Amino acid sequence: MLTFSVETEASRIVLYLSGDIDIDVAEAMEHSIPSAAASYSDVVIDFAGVPFVDSSGIGLLIALVRALQQDGKRVSVVRVREDVMEVFDILQIQDILGKEVLA
């Protein structure tokens, strides 16, 4: 089960994710994160607490980042664990999202 906590500061929100991002949580996450980030221009998604991401989670991440960017938000995905980053590297997620997003 994925959960997230939030820290806010002026125009910036940091979403600290915790748990697996898989098909079981994709739909809930698709609605809850944009809702939480609605009134902020900078969105930081902290992956330190995410040990596993399946293909539906990767698809969700891509769609989520793009939707937030279309709403004019600057998005950063930070502190991705080594195992998850290896999958992101294989799938070239940094090329898809942009180097400014996946730090």
Side-chain angles (χ1 to χ4, degrees), residues 7-58:
E7 272 186 24
T8 60
E9 173 185 311
S11 64
R12 181 177 187 226
I13 184 170
V14 181
L15 303 161
Y16 296 95
L17 306 183
S18 180
D20 295 341
I21 301 177
D22 56 23
I23 195 164
D24 294 332
V25 301
E27 187 175 321
M29 198 173 135
E30 184 176 16
H31 300 290
S32 60
I33 289 180
S35 180
S39 58
Y40 299 92
S41 58
D42 292 322
V43 180
V44 179
I45 304 171
D46 188 309
F47 260 66
V50 178
F52 174 79
V53 180
D54 74 3
S55 60
S56 61
I58 290 170

